[in-house]
């Protein structure tokens, strides 16, 4: 079983710096893996009392039955995970506010490779770090998967994102979230975050919302942020090579358009 090594954050303690409003509805932050999960989670955590945050586990299908209480409308919680589309997941989330976070599939390939090649990821892929496979081959594995070891890009986006669309979920694109964090003092950022945080049903939008977001978005609080990943074995480019872009389009035709990317 894969193991992810990260340092703990201090956001539960920082949460106490702000006056918190009681959460009145369960909210679930669902994301495609490597799509800014920690960023959106940590921002939302600054707007919800710690005792209403579900820290028991990162909710996924194998543990859903044991943690379905996270979505109990009588005891509302903010929870998070990578919950793929299924009958059980739909039933569990029936009364929850559901947010799905995605990322441009081109950039996702690079983020996935960067993570798998880091010392923070420990699993059955250690041999990829030995230098016997070139970077282009690794990128292709991120796109097409590795037989019986790693699912393909299409499988992950089909089950964790595309299948949820049109069911009442709120779709969030990582790039837009990231850009508004960077330009937090703009009027556009205020409009964006008011809409993003609307599922929390806040009685009053906090006047100190910018400071809360700055704290939650602090890169030092995210163990899987790209600059916090240690000893990556390869130099991962900032942009996906043209050939691999064509392979993404071949492997998942129409996906980028469906998610709102051009």
């Amino acid at each position: 079983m894969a193991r992810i090594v990260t340092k703990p954050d201090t956001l539960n303690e920082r949460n106490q710096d702000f006056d918190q409003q009681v959460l009145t509805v369960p909210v679930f932050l669902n994301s495609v893996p490597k799509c800014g999960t920690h960023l959106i989670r940590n921002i939302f955590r600054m707007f919800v009392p710690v005792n209403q945050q579900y820290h028991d586990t990162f909710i996924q299908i194998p543990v859903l039955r044991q943690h379905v209480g996270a979505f109990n409308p009588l005891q509302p919680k903010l929870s998070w995970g990578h919950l793929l589309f299924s009958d059980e997941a739909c039933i569990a989330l029936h009364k929850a506010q559901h947010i799905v976070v995605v990322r441009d599939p081109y950039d996702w390939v690079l983020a996935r490779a960067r993570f798998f090649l880091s010392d923070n990821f420990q699993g059955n892929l250690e041999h990829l770090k030995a230098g016997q496979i070139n970077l282009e081959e690794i990128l292709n594995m991120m796109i097409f998967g590795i037989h019986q070891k790693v699912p393909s890009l299409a499988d992950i986006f089909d089950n964790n994102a595309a299948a949820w669309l049109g069911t009442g979920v709120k779709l969030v694109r990582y790039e837009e979230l990231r850009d508004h964090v960077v330009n937090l003092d703009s009027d556009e950022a205020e409009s964006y975050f008011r809409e993003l945080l609307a599922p929390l049903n806040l009685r009053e939008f906090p006047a100190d919302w910018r400071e809360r977001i700055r704290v939650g978005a602090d890169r030092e609080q995210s163990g899987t942020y790209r600059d916090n990943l240690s000893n990556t074995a390869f130099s991962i480019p900032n942009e996906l090579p043209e050939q691999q872009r064509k392979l993404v389009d071949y492997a998942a035709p129409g996906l980028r358009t469906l998610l709102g990317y051009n």
Side-chain angles (χ1 to χ4, degrees), residues 4-24:
I4 300 172
V5 180
T6 61
K7 64 179 182 180
D9 63 54
T10 62
L11 293 180
N12 283 353
E13 291 77 12
R14 293 304 308 274
N15 178 280
Q16 308 305 311
D17 296 341
F18 306 104
D19 292 331
Q20 301 296 344
Q21 301 174 46
V22 174
L23 185 66
T24 59

Side-chain angles (χ1 to χ4, degrees), residues 159-177:
N159 293 299
N160 287 83
W164 283 114
L165 299 183
T167 66
V169 304
K170 181 180 181 63
L171 182 69
V172 173
R173 283 175 281 272
Y174 163 73
E175 294 81 4
E176 294 173 356
L177 173 59

Side-chain angles (χ1 to χ4, degrees), residues 19 67 75 95-97 115 130 148 179 196 201 248:
D19 292 331
H67 297 277
Q75 296 180 313
K95 294 186 177 181
Q97 296 287 321
F115 180 61
Q148 296 184 339
D179 291 348
L196 178 70
N201 286 345
V248 168

Side-chain angles (χ1 to χ4, degrees), residues 8 18 32 41 44 47 54 79 89 93 101 103 111-112 122 141 158 160 166 184 190 193 199 214 260:
F18 306 104
V32 175
R41 181 196 71 169
F44 269 71
F47 293 84
Y54 196 79
S79 57
L93 293 170
V101 188
R103 184 179 198 150
R112 191 189 201 193
Q122 299 176 2
M141 292 176 193
D158 282 352
N160 287 83
L184 201 53
E190 180 171 0
F193 283 107
R214 287 190 180 96

Side-chain angles (χ1 to χ4, degrees), residues 143-144 152-154 246-253:
I143 298 168
F144 294 100
S152 69
L153 176 153
K246 292 178 180 178
L247 291 176
V248 168
D249 295 340
Y250 166 80

Side-chain angles (χ1 to χ4, degrees), residues 106-164:
Y106 290 167
D107 292 335
W108 179 88
V109 172
L110 298 172
R112 191 189 201 193
R114 188 178 294 110
F115 180 61
F116 281 166
L117 294 172
S118 73
D119 289 343
N120 302 70
F121 180 85
Q122 299 176 2
N124 62 346
L125 302 177
E126 298 301 307
H127 56 290
L128 299 184
K129 307 173 187 180
Q132 296 176 307
I133 301 175
N134 67 40
L135 178 61
E136 289 73 21
E137 290 169 332
I138 289 175
L139 294 178
N140 285 6
M141 292 176 193
M142 300 301 101
I143 298 168
F144 294 100
I146 304 175
H147 182 60
Q148 296 184 339
K149 293 181 179 179
V150 175
S152 69
L153 176 153
D155 281 345
I156 290 178
F157 274 87
D158 282 352
N159 293 299
N160 287 83
W164 283 114

Side-chain angles (χ1 to χ4, degrees), residues 11 57 62 65-66 78 117 123 129 171 192 211 221 229 243 250:
L11 293 180
T57 193
R65 291 186 181 182
Q66 291 75 36
L78 169 68
L117 294 172
K129 307 173 187 180
L171 182 69
Y192 177 83
E211 182 59 24
Q221 299 283 2
L229 297 176
Q243 181 61 60
Y250 166 80

